Amino acid sequence: MRARKLFVEVTVALLVVLFLHTAISKFLDFKGFIYDLNNQPFPNSFTPYLAWLIPLTELVIVCFLLFEKTRLAGLYASLVLMSAFTVYTCLVLLDVFAYVPCSCGGVVSYLTWAQHFFFNLFFVVIISIAIVLNRSKSFCFERT
């Protein structure tokens, strides 16, 4: 039981650092982030919304992850966001888009697209495991 709790806690800590780092990086270079969003393969009319929605979503997820009562919701939200990023990265690797700059924040923006894909996939896997472990922990506490 202790190893399960440790796995969930380490996963949550990694996610908090990841999302906090990328959100702050996007806000610190907001003009650069907007520039990168305008060069994405979706209409530029989405940019004003995405420029705020993505980093604010990351910060909200961090808040959810920090508290035990909202942690499972934070893990599910993390899974949805990282899955979306992973699918997008996969589409880039499959050359679905003609030109795609990375609009990620911080050190993640220095990864190649293949590295980015495996980085994201790693997080999707550990988040999925953490959800299962967190849910089974909650179930165990409810039964006692």
Side-chain angles (χ1 to χ4, degrees), residues 89-122:
T89 305
C90 184
L91 292 174
V92 169
L93 286 171
L94 294 172
D95 289 326
V96 172
F97 310 116
Y99 171 74
V100 205
C102 183
S103 58
C104 306
V107 295
V108 179
S109 62
Y110 295 107
L111 299 175
T112 66
W113 284 108
Q115 291 168 335
H116 208 127
F117 175 76
F118 287 109
F119 179 86
N120 290 355
L121 195 58
F122 167 77

Short mmCIF file of all heavy atoms in Angstrom, two decimals, residues 89-122:
data_model
loop_
_atom_site.label_atom_id
_atom_site.label_comp_id
_atom_site.label_asym_id
_atom_site.label_seq_id
_atom_site.Cartn_x
_atom_site.Cartn_y
_atom_site.Cartn_z
N THR A 89 0.93 15.76 -30.94
CA THR A 89 2.33 15.48 -31.25
C THR A 89 2.44 14.31 -32.23
O THR A 89 3.26 14.33 -33.14
CB THR A 89 3.11 15.16 -29.95
OG1 THR A 89 2.94 16.24 -29.04
CG2 THR A 89 4.58 14.96 -30.22
N CYS A 90 1.60 13.31 -32.06
CA CYS A 90 1.57 12.17 -32.97
C CYS A 90 1.20 12.63 -34.38
O CYS A 90 1.82 12.21 -35.36
CB CYS A 90 0.59 11.12 -32.47
SG CYS A 90 0.56 9.62 -33.47
N LEU A 91 0.22 13.51 -34.48
CA LEU A 91 -0.19 14.04 -35.78
C LEU A 91 0.95 14.83 -36.44
O LEU A 91 1.15 14.76 -37.65
CB LEU A 91 -1.44 14.91 -35.64
CG LEU A 91 -2.71 14.18 -35.25
CD1 LEU A 91 -3.85 15.17 -34.98
CD2 LEU A 91 -3.11 13.16 -36.30
N VAL A 92 1.71 15.56 -35.63
CA VAL A 92 2.87 16.28 -36.16
C VAL A 92 3.89 15.28 -36.70
O VAL A 92 4.43 15.46 -37.80
CB VAL A 92 3.50 17.18 -35.07
CG1 VAL A 92 4.84 17.73 -35.52
CG2 VAL A 92 2.56 18.32 -34.70
N LEU A 93 4.16 14.22 -35.94
CA LEU A 93 5.13 13.21 -36.38
C LEU A 93 4.68 12.49 -37.64
O LEU A 93 5.51 12.05 -38.44
CB LEU A 93 5.36 12.19 -35.26
CG LEU A 93 6.19 12.69 -34.08
CD1 LEU A 93 6.17 11.67 -32.95
CD2 LEU A 93 7.62 12.98 -34.52
N LEU A 94 3.38 12.39 -37.84
CA LEU A 94 2.85 11.74 -39.04
C LEU A 94 2.74 12.72 -40.22
O LEU A 94 2.17 12.37 -41.25
CB LEU A 94 1.48 11.12 -38.74
CG LEU A 94 1.49 9.96 -37.74
CD1 LEU A 94 0.07 9.56 -37.36
CD2 LEU A 94 2.27 8.78 -38.31
N ASP A 95 3.26 13.93 -40.04
CA ASP A 95 3.26 14.97 -41.09
C ASP A 95 1.86 15.33 -41.57
O ASP A 95 1.64 15.61 -42.74
CB ASP A 95 4.12 14.55 -42.29
CG ASP A 95 5.60 14.55 -41.96
OD1 ASP A 95 6.03 15.42 -41.17
OD2 ASP A 95 6.33 13.68 -42.49
N VAL A 96 0.90 15.34 -40.64
CA VAL A 96 -0.46 15.74 -40.98
C VAL A 96 -0.51 17.24 -41.25
O VAL A 96 -1.28 17.70 -42.08
CB VAL A 96 -1.44 15.34 -39.85
CG1 VAL A 96 -2.82 15.90 -40.08
CG2 VAL A 96 -1.49 13.82 -39.73
N PHE A 97 0.34 18.01 -40.56
CA PHE A 97 0.36 19.46 -40.71
C PHE A 97 1.60 19.88 -41.50
O PHE A 97 2.66 19.26 -41.38
CB PHE A 97 0.39 20.14 -39.34
CG PHE A 97 -0.67 19.64 -38.40
CD1 PHE A 97 -0.32 18.99 -37.22
CD2 PHE A 97 -2.01 19.82 -38.67
CE1 PHE A 97 -1.28 18.53 -36.35
CE2 PHE A 97 -2.98 19.36 -37.80
CZ PHE A 97 -2.63 18.71 -36.63
N ALA A 98 1.47 20.95 -42.27
CA ALA A 98 2.59 21.42 -43.08
C ALA A 98 3.69 22.05 -42.22
O ALA A 98 4.87 21.79 -42.42
CB ALA A 98 2.09 22.42 -44.11
N TYR A 99 3.32 22.87 -41.26
CA TYR A 99 4.29 23.57 -40.45
C TYR A 99 3.74 23.72 -39.04
O TYR A 99 2.61 24.14 -38.86
CB TYR A 99 4.55 24.97 -41.03
CG TYR A 99 5.37 25.86 -40.14
CD1 TYR A 99 6.73 25.64 -40.00
CD2 TYR A 99 4.80 26.91 -39.45
CE1 TYR A 99 7.50 26.45 -39.18
CE2 TYR A 99 5.55 27.72 -38.63
CZ TYR A 99 6.90 27.50 -38.49
OH TYR A 99 7.64 28.30 -37.68
N VAL A 100 4.54 23.34 -38.05
CA VAL A 100 4.06 23.41 -36.68
C VAL A 100 5.20 23.78 -35.74
O VAL A 100 6.06 22.96 -35.47
CB VAL A 100 3.48 22.07 -36.20
CG1 VAL A 100 2.47 22.28 -35.10
CG2 VAL A 100 2.87 21.28 -37.31
N PRO A 101 5.17 25.00 -35.21
CA PRO A 101 6.17 25.33 -34.18
C PRO A 101 5.68 24.80 -32.83
O PRO A 101 4.49 24.60 -32.63
CB PRO A 101 6.17 26.85 -34.17
CG PRO A 101 4.79 27.21 -34.58
CD PRO A 101 4.33 26.13 -35.54
N CYS A 102 6.60 24.56 -31.95
CA CYS A 102 6.21 24.10 -30.62
C CYS A 102 5.81 25.31 -29.79
O CYS A 102 6.58 26.26 -29.65
CB CYS A 102 7.36 23.36 -29.95
SG CYS A 102 6.93 22.71 -28.33
N SER A 103 4.62 25.28 -29.25
CA SER A 103 4.16 26.39 -28.42
C SER A 103 4.17 25.99 -26.95
O SER A 103 3.45 26.54 -26.14
CB SER A 103 2.76 26.84 -28.85
OG SER A 103 1.87 25.77 -28.76
N CYS A 104 4.99 25.02 -26.64
CA CYS A 104 5.12 24.56 -25.25
C CYS A 104 5.94 25.56 -24.48
O CYS A 104 6.68 26.35 -25.06
CB CYS A 104 5.83 23.21 -25.21
SG CYS A 104 5.04 22.00 -26.25
N GLY A 105 5.84 25.50 -23.19
CA GLY A 105 6.61 26.41 -22.37
C GLY A 105 7.81 25.74 -21.76
O GLY A 105 7.85 24.54 -21.57
N GLY A 106 8.83 26.55 -21.47
CA GLY A 106 9.98 26.10 -20.71
C GLY A 106 10.86 25.10 -21.44
O GLY A 106 10.96 25.11 -22.66
N VAL A 107 11.49 24.24 -20.67
CA VAL A 107 12.47 23.30 -21.22
C VAL A 107 11.83 22.28 -22.16
O VAL A 107 12.51 21.72 -23.02
CB VAL A 107 13.25 22.56 -20.10
CG1 VAL A 107 14.09 23.52 -19.31
CG2 VAL A 107 12.31 21.80 -19.19
N VAL A 108 10.54 22.04 -22.04
CA VAL A 108 9.85 21.09 -22.92
C VAL A 108 9.94 21.55 -24.37
O VAL A 108 9.99 20.74 -25.29
CB VAL A 108 8.38 20.91 -22.48
CG1 VAL A 108 7.64 19.96 -23.39
CG2 VAL A 108 8.31 20.42 -21.04
N SER A 109 10.01 22.85 -24.60
CA SER A 109 10.07 23.37 -25.96
C SER A 109 11.37 23.03 -26.68
O SER A 109 11.47 23.19 -27.89
CB SER A 109 9.85 24.89 -25.95
OG SER A 109 10.89 25.52 -25.23
N TYR A 110 12.37 22.55 -25.96
CA TYR A 110 13.66 22.19 -26.57
C TYR A 110 13.70 20.74 -27.03
O TYR A 110 14.70 20.31 -27.60
CB TYR A 110 14.81 22.47 -25.59
CG TYR A 110 14.96 23.94 -25.29
CD1 TYR A 110 14.58 24.44 -24.05
CD2 TYR A 110 15.44 24.82 -26.25
CE1 TYR A 110 14.68 25.80 -23.77
CE2 TYR A 110 15.55 26.17 -25.98
CZ TYR A 110 15.17 26.65 -24.74
OH TYR A 110 15.28 27.99 -24.46
N LEU A 111 12.65 19.98 -26.79
CA LEU A 111 12.62 18.59 -27.22
C LEU A 111 12.29 18.49 -28.71
O LEU A 111 11.59 19.33 -29.26
CB LEU A 111 11.55 17.82 -26.44
CG LEU A 111 11.69 17.73 -24.92
CD1 LEU A 111 10.48 17.03 -24.32
CD2 LEU A 111 12.97 17.03 -24.53
N THR A 112 12.80 17.45 -29.35
CA THR A 112 12.37 17.17 -30.73
C THR A 112 10.93 16.66 -30.66
O THR A 112 10.43 16.31 -29.59
CB THR A 112 13.26 16.08 -31.37
OG1 THR A 112 13.05 14.84 -30.69
CG2 THR A 112 14.73 16.47 -31.35
N TRP A 113 10.28 16.57 -31.81
CA TRP A 113 8.90 16.09 -31.81
C TRP A 113 8.82 14.64 -31.34
O TRP A 113 7.89 14.27 -30.62
CB TRP A 113 8.27 16.25 -33.19
CG TRP A 113 7.89 17.68 -33.43
CD1 TRP A 113 8.50 18.57 -34.27
CD2 TRP A 113 6.84 18.41 -32.78
NE1 TRP A 113 7.89 19.79 -34.19
CE2 TRP A 113 6.86 19.73 -33.28
CE3 TRP A 113 5.88 18.08 -31.83
CZ2 TRP A 113 5.97 20.71 -32.88
CZ3 TRP A 113 4.98 19.06 -31.43
CH2 TRP A 113 5.04 20.35 -31.95
N ALA A 114 9.80 13.81 -31.73
CA ALA A 114 9.79 12.41 -31.27
C ALA A 114 10.01 12.34 -29.76
O ALA A 114 9.31 11.59 -29.06
CB ALA A 114 10.88 11.61 -32.00
N GLN A 115 10.95 13.12 -29.24
CA GLN A 115 11.17 13.16 -27.79
C GLN A 115 9.92 13.66 -27.07
O GLN A 115 9.55 13.15 -26.01
CB GLN A 115 12.36 14.06 -27.46
CG GLN A 115 13.70 13.51 -27.89
CD GLN A 115 14.80 14.55 -27.81
OE1 GLN A 115 14.56 15.77 -27.87
NE2 GLN A 115 16.03 14.08 -27.69
N HIS A 116 9.31 14.67 -27.66
CA HIS A 116 8.09 15.24 -27.10
C HIS A 116 6.99 14.18 -27.02
O HIS A 116 6.27 14.08 -26.02
CB HIS A 116 7.64 16.41 -27.98
CG HIS A 116 6.88 17.44 -27.26
ND1 HIS A 116 7.20 18.76 -27.30
CD2 HIS A 116 5.78 17.36 -26.50
CE1 HIS A 116 6.34 19.44 -26.58
NE2 HIS A 116 5.47 18.62 -26.09
N PHE A 117 6.85 13.40 -28.08
CA PHE A 117 5.83 12.35 -28.11
C PHE A 117 6.06 11.36 -26.97
O PHE A 117 5.13 11.02 -26.22
CB PHE A 117 5.83 11.64 -29.46
CG PHE A 117 4.91 10.47 -29.51
CD1 PHE A 117 3.53 10.66 -29.62
CD2 PHE A 117 5.39 9.17 -29.43
CE1 PHE A 117 2.66 9.58 -29.64
CE2 PHE A 117 4.53 8.09 -29.46
CZ PHE A 117 3.16 8.29 -29.57
N PHE A 118 7.29 10.88 -26.82
CA PHE A 118 7.57 9.89 -25.78
C PHE A 118 7.50 10.50 -24.37
O PHE A 118 7.07 9.84 -23.43
CB PHE A 118 8.92 9.20 -26.03
CG PHE A 118 8.84 8.24 -27.17
CD1 PHE A 118 9.47 8.51 -28.37
CD2 PHE A 118 8.10 7.06 -27.06
CE1 PHE A 118 9.39 7.63 -29.43
CE2 PHE A 118 8.01 6.17 -28.12
CZ PHE A 118 8.66 6.45 -29.31
N PHE A 119 7.86 11.75 -24.26
CA PHE A 119 7.71 12.48 -22.99
C PHE A 119 6.24 12.51 -22.60
O PHE A 119 5.86 12.16 -21.48
CB PHE A 119 8.28 13.89 -23.16
CG PHE A 119 8.17 14.77 -21.94
CD1 PHE A 119 9.14 14.73 -20.96
CD2 PHE A 119 7.11 15.65 -21.80
CE1 PHE A 119 9.05 15.56 -19.84
CE2 PHE A 119 7.01 16.48 -20.69
CZ PHE A 119 7.99 16.42 -19.71
N ASN A 120 5.39 12.93 -23.53
CA ASN A 120 3.95 13.00 -23.28
C ASN A 120 3.37 11.61 -23.01
O ASN A 120 2.55 11.45 -22.10
CB ASN A 120 3.22 13.63 -24.47
CG ASN A 120 3.49 15.10 -24.62
OD1 ASN A 120 4.16 15.71 -23.80
ND2 ASN A 120 3.00 15.68 -25.70
N LEU A 121 3.79 10.63 -23.80
CA LEU A 121 3.29 9.28 -23.63
C LEU A 121 3.66 8.73 -22.24
O LEU A 121 2.85 8.07 -21.59
CB LEU A 121 3.84 8.38 -24.73
CG LEU A 121 3.18 7.03 -24.92
CD1 LEU A 121 1.69 7.18 -25.20
CD2 LEU A 121 3.86 6.28 -26.06
N PHE A 122 4.87 9.01 -21.79
CA PHE A 122 5.30 8.62 -20.45
C PHE A 122 4.34 9.17 -19.41
O PHE A 122 3.88 8.45 -18.51
CB PHE A 122 6.73 9.12 -20.19
CG PHE A 122 7.15 9.04 -18.75
CD1 PHE A 122 7.52 7.83 -18.19
CD2 PHE A 122 7.16 10.17 -17.95
CE1 PHE A 122 7.90 7.74 -16.85
CE2 PHE A 122 7.54 10.10 -16.62
CZ PHE A 122 7.91 8.89 -16.07
#
